[in-house]
Amino acid sequence: MRLKALARLWSRDLPGGLGWSDILHEAIARVLDGSRSWPPDVPILAFLSGVMRSICNDHWRRARLEQRLLVSRDDPDQRSWPSEEADEVPDPERVLAAAQTLANVYRLFEDDPLALKIIAGMADGLAAREICKVNGISELDYDTTRRRMRRALLREQRIWSK
């Protein structure tokens, strides 16, 4: 019961749809496979709580990095790379709002395979030329799709902000 409560505490509002049971099972698996060793002088609850906290922090960090890459520009010199401030744990409400917005963006373009390819390329940190090359997209199609995406996002932003 205590492990369940601790897992729920650490996994609250975790991005990516991970639940408390996923975090608890991952912590136990890491202990059993030897990737996390249990010091003999640490109580099991405290140790597993620390492992779960570590797993959750890793997921938060990955989510923040993916978000920064997704919204970064195509120009590598203009990207905002992680800073010391970015390593702070964000407010859970802000993270939830960002995750919901990201889900809305994917939902908005679910019927546009070209837009989804561009979003995936941006998420991977690829520049415009690389996205075009990898997906066989012409520069004209890329630019046209980006303008269409921008207009759709601006329209939706007005709706989301109401």
Side-chain angles (χ1 to χ4, degrees):
M1 297 291 289
R2 289 181 183 167
L3 283 175
K4 180 179 176 180
L6 288 167
R8 283 186 166 182
L9 172 72
W10 289 120
S11 66
R12 187 181 57 229
D13 299 328
L14 198 60
L18 292 172
W20 67 268
S21 61
D22 299 319
I23 299 303
L24 178 60
H25 293 139
E26 178 65 22
I28 292 170
R30 289 185 185 187
V31 172
L32 292 176
D33 73 10
S35 61
R36 294 295 301 255
S37 58
W38 177 22
D41 58 332
V42 177
I44 186 71
L45 286 176
F47 172 68
L48 285 174
S49 177
V51 174
M52 289 186 289
R53 180 178 50 87
S54 175
I55 292 168
C56 291
N57 284 342
D58 287 343
H59 284 288
W60 283 116
R61 255 191 303 282
R62 253 185 262 123
R64 283 193 308 271
L65 179 61
E66 289 172 4
Q67 179 67 23
R68 278 194 300 271
L69 289 175
L70 194 70
V71 298
S72 69
R73 305 180 112 183
D74 289 331
D75 182 6
D77 296 332
Q78 296 293 322
R79 284 199 185 117
S80 63
W81 293 104
S83 64
E84 289 180 24
E85 295 173 5
D87 288 336
E88 296 177 14
V89 176
D91 182 63
E93 291 152 2
R94 289 181 66 191
V95 172
L96 178 62
Q100 288 172 342
T101 302
L102 189 57
N104 287 336
V105 168
Y106 279 114
R107 216 173 294 118
L108 180 63
F109 297 111
E110 67 186 354
D111 294 329
D112 189 344
L114 194 54
L116 291 175
K117 288 179 183 178
I118 291 172
I119 292 170
M122 293 171 72
D124 289 337
L126 300 177
R129 287 187 186 117
E130 294 170 319
I131 293 171
C132 290
K133 183 179 176 184
V134 167
N135 295 299
I137 303 170
S138 72
E139 285 186 40
L140 178 62
D141 287 342
Y142 177 86
D143 291 338
T144 302
T145 304
R146 284 290 304 264
R147 283 192 294 274
R148 187 172 64 245
M149 290 168 63
R150 190 176 302 117
R151 287 190 302 268
L153 286 169
L154 287 172
R155 274 192 308 272
E156 287 298 314
Q157 183 180 8
R158 286 186 218 119
I159 293 169
W160 293 333
S161 63
K162 289 182 181 178

